[in-house]
Amino acid sequence: MAAPDGPLVIGVDSSTQSTKALVVDSATGSVVARGQAPHVVTAEHDSDPEQWWRALTAALEQCGPAVAEAAAVAVAGQQHGLVTLDDEGRPVRNALLWNDTRSAPQRDRLIDELGGPAAWAERVGSVPPTSFTVTKWAWLREHEPAAAAATRAVRLPHDYLTGKLTGQETHGGTTDRGDASGSGWWSTATESYDEEILARVGLDPALLPRVVGAGEAAGTVRSGLPLPEGILVAAGTGDNMAGALGLGLAPGRPALSLGTSGTVYAVSERRPTDASGIVAGFADAWRGWLPLACTLNCTQAVDRIAALLGLDREAVAPGGQAVVLPFLDGERTPDLPYASGLVHGLRHDTSAGQLLQAAYDGAVFALLRALDLVLDEDADPAEPIVLIGGGARGTAWRETVRRLSGRAVRVPVADELVALGAAAQAAGLLLGRDPAAVARDWDTTAGPAFDPVERDEAALDRLAATLADADALLRRP
């Protein structure tokens, strides 16, 4: 390994499907080593947290000798998951993941009991969808009371892994404001846990982790790990917050991530409170805000439709009047937890390629409807969309975003941006700097740019009309 220009740091991305680790030169952002190990997710959308830890240690071991030179580490994790631990820090049950929609009845009840959508938005920054952790805890207490009673610590996925690194799984555990803001029990108005909400769902605040401040360490690495004992462990954060750090986002620049889920977000200096529930009013991983809209059905849903049609995912065709709303697993944006996929407007001459293109359109449409709400009112409409995630490398995804947005698109060459954002957080802690500024110095958004094209208003109108006309059907349990 060539001598690095600065201290080495490690960024970890523990996602739904796998854990990735990057060893990064803090001076340049160059990746000097990487590792990855898979997870297993059940059909019920839950997962054993202990396998995340095994995957993390395996990914670190794959990085080789560079790991031994690291001076700091940070973990970014999938948001909203409910991790319940016993006295010894072992999972009481599998974690309920972000894409588990079983808690829809509990969500509806909580929104009504605490004053309706506007009250929730003002209080915690978001109208909680079924993905939020508070709804999952309410479901657990109702459906698995013995598991809830056995719980001695409640953590988010990144909290759990950070605790495993520091040895503080249950006692002295930590989280950060970004990931905490997606729980539904942390108030963006007061930047503290909301005791009334916790009382409503029967959760003792003593079971929750301490929220680490910006630039503060969560602890140091314990002995017995592939990492050097005693190096700094940053607060860590949620995957979306880490993605924003990895891009070094400044206010006004939108990012659109195309993965298993789809997200559109932008950094803001103003606390968001969208009573419609379209935009989640998250905190970012530093001192600002990260208004974000998320869809449950993105690349995986479109790939499934391509498979049903017997087509390669790039085998799209223009034309036709068909509309596909690919809400295969219920949907978060729009808020349709009971929905299934819908196809409308088939004709004798509709081709399979046109139907596949309509599925892309439906997935992107749901994200672009939220774009104006995510951006501040004074944001420059000519600012390119930064396109990231697995789908960003696909021509069909990129061209669909261009055609339906009418905006320029930039596709960064840098990959693993969540892990890179975690590395920037570790570097920021080590160097005493804003981690987003560190990532900007690394020039993480460098990559090909694509000019805007004329927006396809006819396709947007068809999608909007179909969504409105099918509302009652899509809401049916």
Side-chain angles (χ1 to χ4, degrees), residues 92-112:
V92 172
R93 72 174 317 280
N94 279 356
L96 299 173
L97 302 186
W98 60 273
N99 53 353
D100 186 330
T101 60
R102 283 178 286 184
S103 60
Q106 290 74 27
R107 184 279 310 268
D108 293 345
R109 186 170 66 243
L110 282 171
I111 290 175
D112 290 341

Side-chain angles (χ1 to χ4, degrees), residues 219-280:
T220 58
V221 169
R222 63 177 173 86
S223 63
L225 300 181
L227 295 165
E229 182 180 355
I231 68 169
L232 290 171
V233 180
T237 193
D239 53 2
N240 290 302
M241 294 78 197
L245 289 182
L247 292 167
L249 284 187
R253 186 163 215 187
L256 198 156
S257 177
L258 300 167
T260 303
S261 63
T263 53
V264 59
Y265 54 85
V267 171
S268 177
E269 295 174 351
R270 306 168 200 163
R271 184 176 77 92
T273 56
D274 176 23
S276 75
I278 295 173
V279 175

Side-chain angles (χ1 to χ4, degrees), residues 369-449:
R369 274 168 67 97
L371 182 62
D372 290 339
L373 295 174
V374 163
L375 290 167
D376 291 336
E377 292 179 0
D378 55 357
D380 183 357
E383 188 71 26
I385 294 173
V386 181
L387 199 62
I388 61 174
R393 301 287 188 258
T395 301
W397 281 110
R398 185 190 70 228
E399 293 307 305
T400 301
V401 171
R402 292 178 72 205
R403 181 172 53 81
L404 295 186
S405 71
R407 296 176 71 124
V409 167
R410 179 176 292 276
V411 182
V413 172
D415 58 3
E416 311 299 359
L417 283 159
V418 172
L420 201 59
Q425 189 186 47
L429 174 64
L430 194 64
L431 304 173
R433 298 185 61 199
D434 175 350
V438 171
R440 286 194 287 274
D441 288 348
W442 293 350
D443 196 19
T444 53
T445 60

Side-chain angles (χ1 to χ4, degrees), residues 323-393:
V323 172
V324 176
L325 301 178
F327 305 155
L328 305 189
D329 294 312
E331 189 46 77
R332 171 172 164 174
T333 303
D335 184 18
L336 298 166
Y338 304 111
S340 56
L342 184 146
V343 179
H344 175 70
L346 286 181
R347 301 290 184 186
H348 280 289
D349 59 353
T350 302
S351 71
Q354 289 171 342
L355 200 59
L356 179 58
Q357 180 61 69
Y360 278 96
D361 287 1
V364 170
F365 169 75
L367 288 165
L368 293 179
R369 274 168 67 97
L371 182 62
D372 290 339
L373 295 174
V374 163
L375 290 167
D376 291 336
E377 292 179 0
D378 55 357
D380 183 357
E383 188 71 26
I385 294 173
V386 181
L387 199 62
I388 61 174
R393 301 287 188 258

Side-chain angles (χ1 to χ4, degrees), residues 284-311:
D284 71 4
W286 189 242
R287 298 188 175 101
W289 306 98
L290 193 72
L292 176 149
C294 176
T295 62
L296 299 182
N297 298 276
C298 194
T299 58
Q300 196 171 61
V302 172
D303 283 352
R304 178 59 182 149
I305 291 170
L308 288 171
L309 294 169
L311 296 177

